[in-house]
Amino acid sequence: MPVKIIIRVPKGKKVDKSKLKVSGSLVVGDTVIPVTEKDVEVVEAG
Amino acid sequence: MSTESGRFVSISTLPSLQVRQAKVIGTAFFDFSPYVTEPLYTSGITWFIFADSIFDRFYSTYRFKENTLSISLAEAEAGYDRNYRIRFRIGKMNASQFKWFLANMVYLSEIPNDKWMLLWHGWGDGKVLVRTVPGINFTLNRGDVIILEVKPLAPAVNFVRFYFITDLIGVPRVT
């Protein structure tokens, strides 16, 4: 996985990852790598 | 090298360093609002991590030997589609620092300065553009990661876009 996105949300905040909408891409030279929800990890503040 | 007979003898040397313009353009749009709303926004934070495999792309795309890369110029931009204020930092971690980060990220309001090599930082409204100071280089070793830390200083809605353009200095592969 060339890119990983971590979103840290406030403590006690219910995390429903299905509500997360992510789109984008990573371009290295001529290579285009899509950035999708699977690249995102949502963690709750400790 | 000149010889007595006047002929020239070429001496094989190690491949010289080469500079390649590497363009890593990343865009990521996502809606932060289901998670972070006023007054809770201060504990919302986002990290974009460029992991080891991005460097494999560098090596293969720009045909460098797989050892280290020196970066002499980089730019990145992050922001909202609205005029909200953010703080934006970029740093480099080695493998052990990154391991520590993964174990402790839920407790961090920001990455401590002694846990990474802070490369650039800035803040602004709407978007932040940061770039390296000319002449300042840093080296990426295998296992290092680059992290972009984006911290909202206001409620965050509809995040973010960034790009990362860099000059790479590496040793080209001999073909």
Side-chain angles (χ1 to χ4, degrees), chain A residues 1-6 17 20-23 33-42:
Chain A
M1 186 185 296
V3 64
K4 181 181 182 68
I5 300 172
I6 297 174
K17 200 178 169 184
L20 189 66
K21 294 180 175 60
V22 178
S23 64
I33 308 158
V35 176
T36 65
E37 284 84 356
K38 66 178 174 51
D39 300 316
V40 179
E41 180 182 356
V42 181

mmCIF file with all atom_site columns, all heavy atoms in Angstrom, chain A residues 1-6 17 20-23 33-42:
data_model
loop_
_atom_site.group_PDB
_atom_site.id
_atom_site.type_symbol
_atom_site.label_atom_id
_atom_site.label_alt_id
_atom_site.label_comp_id
_atom_site.label_asym_id
_atom_site.label_entity_id
_atom_site.label_seq_id
_atom_site.pdbx_PDB_ins_code
_atom_site.Cartn_x
_atom_site.Cartn_y
_atom_site.Cartn_z
_atom_site.occupancy
_atom_site.B_iso_or_equiv
_atom_site.pdbx_formal_charge
_atom_site.auth_seq_id
_atom_site.auth_comp_id
_atom_site.auth_asym_id
_atom_site.auth_atom_id
_atom_site.pdbx_PDB_model_num
ATOM 1   N N   . MET A 1 1  ? 0.854   -1.187 0.000  1.00 0.00 ? 1  MET A N   1
ATOM 2   C CA  . MET A 1 1  ? 0.000   0.000  0.000  1.00 0.00 ? 1  MET A CA  1
ATOM 3   C C   . MET A 1 1  ? 0.892   1.241  0.000  1.00 0.00 ? 1  MET A C   1
ATOM 4   O O   . MET A 1 1  ? 1.576   1.511  0.972  1.00 0.00 ? 1  MET A O   1
ATOM 5   C CB  . MET A 1 1  ? -0.899  -0.021 1.241  1.00 0.00 ? 1  MET A CB  1
ATOM 6   C CG  . MET A 1 1  ? -1.928  1.094  1.274  1.00 0.00 ? 1  MET A CG  1
ATOM 7   S SD  . MET A 1 1  ? -2.879  1.120  2.799  1.00 0.00 ? 1  MET A SD  1
ATOM 8   C CE  . MET A 1 1  ? -3.721  -0.448 2.708  1.00 0.00 ? 1  MET A CE  1
ATOM 9   N N   . PRO A 1 2  ? 0.929   1.986  -1.076 1.00 0.00 ? 2  PRO A N   1
ATOM 10  C CA  . PRO A 1 2  ? 1.863   3.116  -1.141 1.00 0.00 ? 2  PRO A CA  1
ATOM 11  C C   . PRO A 1 2  ? 1.452   4.295  -0.273 1.00 0.00 ? 2  PRO A C   1
ATOM 12  O O   . PRO A 1 2  ? 2.284   5.085  0.138  1.00 0.00 ? 2  PRO A O   1
ATOM 13  C CB  . PRO A 1 2  ? 1.850   3.492  -2.622 1.00 0.00 ? 2  PRO A CB  1
ATOM 14  C CG  . PRO A 1 2  ? 0.559   2.982  -3.139 1.00 0.00 ? 2  PRO A CG  1
ATOM 15  C CD  . PRO A 1 2  ? 0.217   1.778  -2.336 1.00 0.00 ? 2  PRO A CD  1
ATOM 16  N N   . VAL A 1 3  ? 0.176   4.431  -0.020 1.00 0.00 ? 3  VAL A N   1
ATOM 17  C CA  . VAL A 1 3  ? -0.268  5.541  0.813  1.00 0.00 ? 3  VAL A CA  1
ATOM 18  C C   . VAL A 1 3  ? -1.277  5.031  1.829  1.00 0.00 ? 3  VAL A C   1
ATOM 19  O O   . VAL A 1 3  ? -2.063  4.130  1.554  1.00 0.00 ? 3  VAL A O   1
ATOM 20  C CB  . VAL A 1 3  ? -0.885  6.676  -0.044 1.00 0.00 ? 3  VAL A CB  1
ATOM 21  C CG1 . VAL A 1 3  ? -2.135  6.221  -0.751 1.00 0.00 ? 3  VAL A CG1 1
ATOM 22  C CG2 . VAL A 1 3  ? -1.162  7.914  0.798  1.00 0.00 ? 3  VAL A CG2 1
ATOM 23  N N   . LYS A 1 4  ? -1.170  5.589  3.016  1.00 0.00 ? 4  LYS A N   1
ATOM 24  C CA  . LYS A 1 4  ? -2.092  5.204  4.084  1.00 0.00 ? 4  LYS A CA  1
ATOM 25  C C   . LYS A 1 4  ? -2.600  6.497  4.709  1.00 0.00 ? 4  LYS A C   1
ATOM 26  O O   . LYS A 1 4  ? -1.821  7.411  4.959  1.00 0.00 ? 4  LYS A O   1
ATOM 27  C CB  . LYS A 1 4  ? -1.357  4.359  5.124  1.00 0.00 ? 4  LYS A CB  1
ATOM 28  C CG  . LYS A 1 4  ? -2.196  3.871  6.288  1.00 0.00 ? 4  LYS A CG  1
ATOM 29  C CD  . LYS A 1 4  ? -1.301  3.079  7.235  1.00 0.00 ? 4  LYS A CD  1
ATOM 30  C CE  . LYS A 1 4  ? -2.089  2.522  8.408  1.00 0.00 ? 4  LYS A CE  1
ATOM 31  N NZ  . LYS A 1 4  ? -3.040  1.481  8.006  1.00 0.00 ? 4  LYS A NZ  1
ATOM 32  N N   . ILE A 1 5  ? -3.881  6.567  4.934  1.00 0.00 ? 5  ILE A N   1
ATOM 33  C CA  . ILE A 1 5  ? -4.468  7.756  5.523  1.00 0.00 ? 5  ILE A CA  1
ATOM 34  C C   . ILE A 1 5  ? -5.082  7.359  6.861  1.00 0.00 ? 5  ILE A C   1
ATOM 35  O O   . ILE A 1 5  ? -5.901  6.434  6.917  1.00 0.00 ? 5  ILE A O   1
ATOM 36  C CB  . ILE A 1 5  ? -5.551  8.362  4.613  1.00 0.00 ? 5  ILE A CB  1
ATOM 37  C CG1 . ILE A 1 5  ? -4.950  8.762  3.252  1.00 0.00 ? 5  ILE A CG1 1
ATOM 38  C CG2 . ILE A 1 5  ? -6.199  9.576  5.278  1.00 0.00 ? 5  ILE A CG2 1
ATOM 39  C CD1 . ILE A 1 5  ? -5.986  9.181  2.231  1.00 0.00 ? 5  ILE A CD1 1
ATOM 40  N N   . ILE A 1 6  ? -4.648  8.031  7.901  1.00 0.00 ? 6  ILE A N   1
ATOM 41  C CA  . ILE A 1 6  ? -5.192  7.762  9.231  1.00 0.00 ? 6  ILE A CA  1
ATOM 42  C C   . ILE A 1 6  ? -5.955  8.987  9.686  1.00 0.00 ? 6  ILE A C   1
ATOM 43  O O   . ILE A 1 6  ? -5.421  10.097 9.703  1.00 0.00 ? 6  ILE A O   1
ATOM 44  C CB  . ILE A 1 6  ? -4.072  7.430  10.243 1.00 0.00 ? 6  ILE A CB  1
ATOM 45  C CG1 . ILE A 1 6  ? -3.351  6.147  9.825  1.00 0.00 ? 6  ILE A CG1 1
ATOM 46  C CG2 . ILE A 1 6  ? -4.647  7.282  11.647 1.00 0.00 ? 6  ILE A CG2 1
ATOM 47  C CD1 . ILE A 1 6  ? -2.138  5.832  10.682 1.00 0.00 ? 6  ILE A CD1 1
ATOM 48  N N   . LYS A 1 17 ? -17.486 3.906  9.438  1.00 0.00 ? 17 LYS A N   1
ATOM 49  C CA  . LYS A 1 17 ? -16.618 4.098  8.275  1.00 0.00 ? 17 LYS A CA  1
ATOM 50  C C   . LYS A 1 17 ? -17.394 4.098  6.964  1.00 0.00 ? 17 LYS A C   1
ATOM 51  O O   . LYS A 1 17 ? -16.933 4.619  5.956  1.00 0.00 ? 17 LYS A O   1
ATOM 52  C CB  . LYS A 1 17 ? -15.530 3.029  8.265  1.00 0.00 ? 17 LYS A CB  1
ATOM 53  C CG  . LYS A 1 17 ? -14.332 3.415  7.412  1.00 0.00 ? 17 LYS A CG  1
ATOM 54  C CD  . LYS A 1 17 ? -13.230 2.378  7.449  1.00 0.00 ? 17 LYS A CD  1
ATOM 55  C CE  . LYS A 1 17 ? -12.190 2.694  6.385  1.00 0.00 ? 17 LYS A CE  1
ATOM 56  N NZ  . LYS A 1 17 ? -11.157 1.695  6.292  1.00 0.00 ? 17 LYS A NZ  1
ATOM 57  N N   . LEU A 1 20 ? -17.792 7.371  5.419  1.00 0.00 ? 20 LEU A N   1
ATOM 58  C CA  . LEU A 1 20 ? -16.612 8.047  4.906  1.00 0.00 ? 20 LEU A CA  1
ATOM 59  C C   . LEU A 1 20 ? -16.572 7.941  3.387  1.00 0.00 ? 20 LEU A C   1
ATOM 60  O O   . LEU A 1 20 ? -16.619 6.836  2.834  1.00 0.00 ? 20 LEU A O   1
ATOM 61  C CB  . LEU A 1 20 ? -15.362 7.408  5.506  1.00 0.00 ? 20 LEU A CB  1
ATOM 62  C CG  . LEU A 1 20 ? -14.042 8.113  5.247  1.00 0.00 ? 20 LEU A CG  1
ATOM 63  C CD1 . LEU A 1 20 ? -14.011 9.463  5.933  1.00 0.00 ? 20 LEU A CD1 1
ATOM 64  C CD2 . LEU A 1 20 ? -12.895 7.257  5.743  1.00 0.00 ? 20 LEU A CD2 1
ATOM 65  N N   . LYS A 1 21 ? -16.489 9.071  2.765  1.00 0.00 ? 21 LYS A N   1
ATOM 66  C CA  . LYS A 1 21 ? -16.401 9.081  1.305  1.00 0.00 ? 21 LYS A CA  1
ATOM 67  C C   . LYS A 1 21 ? -15.002 9.560  0.913  1.00 0.00 ? 21 LYS A C   1
ATOM 68  O O   . LYS A 1 21 ? -14.597 10.657 1.268  1.00 0.00 ? 21 LYS A O   1
ATOM 69  C CB  . LYS A 1 21 ? -17.466 10.007 0.709  1.00 0.00 ? 21 LYS A CB  1
ATOM 70  C CG  . LYS A 1 21 ? -18.882 9.522  0.936  1.00 0.00 ? 21 LYS A CG  1
ATOM 71  C CD  . LYS A 1 21 ? -19.890 10.473 0.332  1.00 0.00 ? 21 LYS A CD  1
ATOM 72  C CE  . LYS A 1 21 ? -21.307 9.918  0.447  1.00 0.00 ? 21 LYS A CE  1
ATOM 73  N NZ  . LYS A 1 21 ? -21.699 9.691  1.848  1.00 0.00 ? 21 LYS A NZ  1
ATOM 74  N N   . VAL A 1 22 ? -14.311 8.711  0.234  1.00 0.00 ? 22 VAL A N   1
ATOM 75  C CA  . VAL A 1 22 ? -12.934 9.019  -0.141 1.00 0.00 ? 22 VAL A CA  1
ATOM 76  C C   . VAL A 1 22 ? -12.768 8.808  -1.639 1.00 0.00 ? 22 VAL A C   1
ATOM 77  O O   . VAL A 1 22 ? -13.236 7.815  -2.193 1.00 0.00 ? 22 VAL A O   1
ATOM 78  C CB  . VAL A 1 22 ? -11.935 8.109  0.607  1.00 0.00 ? 22 VAL A CB  1
ATOM 79  C CG1 . VAL A 1 22 ? -10.513 8.415  0.167  1.00 0.00 ? 22 VAL A CG1 1
ATOM 80  C CG2 . VAL A 1 22 ? -12.063 8.301  2.092  1.00 0.00 ? 22 VAL A CG2 1
ATOM 81  N N   . SER A 1 23 ? -12.129 9.738  -2.254 1.00 0.00 ? 23 SER A N   1
ATOM 82  C CA  . SER A 1 23 ? -11.753 9.546  -3.654 1.00 0.00 ? 23 SER A CA  1
ATOM 83  C C   . SER A 1 23 ? -10.432 10.249 -3.881 1.00 0.00 ? 23 SER A C   1
ATOM 84  O O   . SER A 1 23 ? -10.065 11.152 -3.141 1.00 0.00 ? 23 SER A O   1
ATOM 85  C CB  . SER A 1 23 ? -12.821 10.105 -4.594 1.00 0.00 ? 23 SER A CB  1
ATOM 86  O OG  . SER A 1 23 ? -12.917 11.503 -4.436 1.00 0.00 ? 23 SER A OG  1
ATOM 87  N N   . ILE A 1 33 ? -2.312  5.461  -9.060 1.00 0.00 ? 33 ILE A N   1
ATOM 88  C CA  . ILE A 1 33 ? -2.756  4.540  -8.019 1.00 0.00 ? 33 ILE A CA  1
ATOM 89  C C   . ILE A 1 33 ? -3.992  5.153  -7.363 1.00 0.00 ? 33 ILE A C   1
ATOM 90  O O   . ILE A 1 33 ? -3.909  6.234  -6.773 1.00 0.00 ? 33 ILE A O   1
ATOM 91  C CB  . ILE A 1 33 ? -1.656  4.334  -6.957 1.00 0.00 ? 33 ILE A CB  1
ATOM 92  C CG1 . ILE A 1 33 ? -0.339  3.939  -7.629 1.00 0.00 ? 33 ILE A CG1 1
ATOM 93  C CG2 . ILE A 1 33 ? -2.082  3.316  -5.919 1.00 0.00 ? 33 ILE A CG2 1
ATOM 94  C CD1 . ILE A 1 33 ? 0.876   4.218  -6.796 1.00 0.00 ? 33 ILE A CD1 1
ATOM 95  N N   . PRO A 1 34 ? -5.114  4.512  -7.455 1.00 0.00 ? 34 PRO A N   1
ATOM 96  C CA  . PRO A 1 34 ? -6.314  5.090  -6.835 1.00 0.00 ? 34 PRO A CA  1
ATOM 97  C C   . PRO A 1 34 ? -6.202  5.130  -5.317 1.00 0.00 ? 34 PRO A C   1
ATOM 98  O O   . PRO A 1 34 ? -5.609  4.239  -4.703 1.00 0.00 ? 34 PRO A O   1
ATOM 99  C CB  . PRO A 1 34 ? -7.442  4.133  -7.261 1.00 0.00 ? 34 PRO A CB  1
ATOM 100 C CG  . PRO A 1 34 ? -6.871  3.278  -8.319 1.00 0.00 ? 34 PRO A CG  1
ATOM 101 C CD  . PRO A 1 34 ? -5.396  3.249  -8.134 1.00 0.00 ? 34 PRO A CD  1
ATOM 102 N N   . VAL A 1 35 ? -6.738  6.170  -4.720 1.00 0.00 ? 35 VAL A N   1
ATOM 103 C CA  . VAL A 1 35 ? -6.860  6.252  -3.266 1.00 0.00 ? 35 VAL A CA  1
ATOM 104 C C   . VAL A 1 35 ? -8.333  6.013  -2.937 1.00 0.00 ? 35 VAL A C   1
ATOM 105 O O   . VAL A 1 35 ? -9.209  6.718  -3.444 1.00 0.00 ? 35 VAL A O   1
ATOM 106 C CB  . VAL A 1 35 ? -6.419  7.626  -2.732 1.00 0.00 ? 35 VAL A CB  1
ATOM 107 C CG1 . VAL A 1 35 ? -6.653  7.721  -1.227 1.00 0.00 ? 35 VAL A CG1 1
ATOM 108 C CG2 . VAL A 1 35 ? -4.948  7.873  -3.048 1.00 0.00 ? 35 VAL A CG2 1
ATOM 109 N N   . THR A 1 36 ? -8.577  5.005  -2.150 1.00 0.00 ? 36 THR A N   1
ATOM 110 C CA  . THR A 1 36 ? -9.963  4.628  -1.860 1.00 0.00 ? 36 THR A CA  1
ATOM 111 C C   . THR A 1 36 ? -10.162 4.468  -0.362 1.00 0.00 ? 36 THR A C   1
ATOM 112 O O   . THR A 1 36 ? -9.230  4.631  0.432  1.00 0.00 ? 36 THR A O   1
ATOM 113 C CB  . THR A 1 36 ? -10.324 3.302  -2.561 1.00 0.00 ? 36 THR A CB  1
ATOM 114 O OG1 . THR A 1 36 ? -9.526  2.259  -1.988 1.00 0.00 ? 36 THR A OG1 1
ATOM 115 C CG2 . THR A 1 36 ? -10.069 3.379  -4.061 1.00 0.00 ? 36 THR A CG2 1
ATOM 116 N N   . GLU A 1 37 ? -11.363 4.091  0.009  1.00 0.00 ? 37 GLU A N   1
ATOM 117 C CA  . GLU A 1 37 ? -11.690 3.910  1.426  1.00 0.00 ? 37 GLU A CA  1
ATOM 118 C C   . GLU A 1 37 ? -10.799 2.858  2.091  1.00 0.00 ? 37 GLU A C   1
ATOM 119 O O   . GLU A 1 37 ? -10.525 2.946  3.282  1.00 0.00 ? 37 GLU A O   1
ATOM 120 C CB  . GLU A 1 37 ? -13.166 3.505  1.587  1.00 0.00 ? 37 GLU A CB  1
ATOM 121 C CG  . GLU A 1 37 ? -14.165 4.637  1.409  1.00 0.00 ? 37 GLU A CG  1
ATOM 122 C CD  . GLU A 1 37 ? -14.514 4.901  -0.047 1.00 0.00 ? 37 GLU A CD  1
ATOM 123 O OE1 . GLU A 1 37 ? -13.916 4.252  -0.934 1.00 0.00 ? 37 GLU A OE1 1
ATOM 124 O OE2 . GLU A 1 37 ? -15.370 5.770  -0.303 1.00 0.00 ? 37 GLU A OE2 1
ATOM 125 N N   . LYS A 1 38 ? -10.364 1.884  1.329  1.00 0.00 ? 38 LYS A N   1
ATOM 126 C CA  . LYS A 1 38 ? -9.553  0.828  1.949  1.00 0.00 ? 38 LYS A CA  1
ATOM 127 C C   . LYS A 1 38 ? -8.184  1.337  2.388  1.00 0.00 ? 38 LYS A C   1
ATOM 128 O O   . LYS A 1 38 ? -7.500  0.690  3.175  1.00 0.00 ? 38 LYS A O   1
ATOM 129 C CB  . LYS A 1 38 ? -9.392  -0.362 1.008  1.00 0.00 ? 38 LYS A CB  1
ATOM 130 C CG  . LYS A 1 38 ? -8.593  -0.075 -0.247 1.00 0.00 ? 38 LYS A CG  1
ATOM 131 C CD  . LYS A 1 38 ? -8.469  -1.342 -1.084 1.00 0.00 ? 38 LYS A CD  1
ATOM 132 C CE  . LYS A 1 38 ? -7.807  -1.062 -2.421 1.00 0.00 ? 38 LYS A CE  1
ATOM 133 N NZ  . LYS A 1 38 ? -6.535  -0.326 -2.341 1.00 0.00 ? 38 LYS A NZ  1
ATOM 134 N N   . ASP A 1 39 ? -7.789  2.503  1.895  1.00 0.00 ? 39 ASP A N   1
ATOM 135 C CA  . ASP A 1 39 ? -6.513  3.087  2.300  1.00 0.00 ? 39 ASP A CA  1
ATOM 136 C C   . ASP A 1 39 ? -6.642  3.914  3.580  1.00 0.00 ? 39 ASP A C   1
ATOM 137 O O   . ASP A 1 39 ? -5.663  4.456  4.065  1.00 0.00 ? 39 ASP A O   1
ATOM 138 C CB  . ASP A 1 39 ? -5.960  3.985  1.189  1.00 0.00 ? 39 ASP A CB  1
ATOM 139 C CG  . ASP A 1 39 ? -5.714  3.221  -0.100 1.00 0.00 ? 39 ASP A CG  1
ATOM 140 O OD1 . ASP A 1 39 ? -5.164  2.112  -0.019 1.00 0.00 ? 39 ASP A OD1 1
ATOM 141 O OD2 . ASP A 1 39 ? -6.088  3.729  -1.173 1.00 0.00 ? 39 ASP A OD2 1
ATOM 142 N N   . VAL A 1 40 ? -7.854  4.016  4.072  1.00 0.00 ? 40 VAL A N   1
ATOM 143 C CA  . VAL A 1 40 ? -8.116  4.894  5.209  1.00 0.00 ? 40 VAL A CA  1
ATOM 144 C C   . VAL A 1 40 ? -8.373  4.065  6.458  1.00 0.00 ? 40 VAL A C   1
ATOM 145 O O   . VAL A 1 40 ? -9.120  3.090  6.433  1.00 0.00 ? 40 VAL A O   1
ATOM 146 C CB  . VAL A 1 40 ? -9.341  5.794  4.933  1.00 0.00 ? 40 VAL A CB  1
ATOM 147 C CG1 . VAL A 1 40 ? -9.626  6.684  6.141  1.00 0.00 ? 40 VAL A CG1 1
ATOM 148 C CG2 . VAL A 1 40 ? -9.103  6.637  3.698  1.00 0.00 ? 40 VAL A CG2 1
ATOM 149 N N   . GLU A 1 41 ? -7.714  4.472  7.525  1.00 0.00 ? 41 GLU A N   1
ATOM 150 C CA  . GLU A 1 41 ? -7.978  3.868  8.828  1.00 0.00 ? 41 GLU A CA  1
ATOM 151 C C   . GLU A 1 41 ? -8.510  4.962  9.754  1.00 0.00 ? 41 GLU A C   1
ATOM 152 O O   . GLU A 1 41 ? -7.903  6.025  9.864  1.00 0.00 ? 41 GLU A O   1
ATOM 153 C CB  . GLU A 1 41 ? -6.694  3.260  9.400  1.00 0.00 ? 41 GLU A CB  1
ATOM 154 C CG  . GLU A 1 41 ? -6.869  2.614  10.758 1.00 0.00 ? 41 GLU A CG  1
ATOM 155 C CD  . GLU A 1 41 ? -5.566  2.058  11.315 1.00 0.00 ? 41 GLU A CD  1
ATOM 156 O OE1 . GLU A 1 41 ? -4.545  2.104  10.604 1.00 0.00 ? 41 GLU A OE1 1
ATOM 157 O OE2 . GLU A 1 41 ? -5.570  1.606  12.468 1.00 0.00 ? 41 GLU A OE2 1
ATOM 158 N N   . VAL A 1 42 ? -9.641  4.703  10.361 1.00 0.00 ? 42 VAL A N   1
ATOM 159 C CA  . VAL A 1 42 ? -10.219 5.660  11.291 1.00 0.00 ? 42 VAL A CA  1
ATOM 160 C C   . VAL A 1 42 ? -9.976  5.153  12.703 1.00 0.00 ? 42 VAL A C   1
ATOM 161 O O   . VAL A 1 42 ? -10.332 4.022  13.030 1.00 0.00 ? 42 VAL A O   1
ATOM 162 C CB  . VAL A 1 42 ? -11.733 5.842  11.049 1.00 0.00 ? 42 VAL A CB  1
ATOM 163 C CG1 . VAL A 1 42 ? -12.303 6.866  12.024 1.00 0.00 ? 42 VAL A CG1 1
ATOM 164 C CG2 . VAL A 1 42 ? -12.000 6.288  9.617  1.00 0.00 ? 42 VAL A CG2 1
#
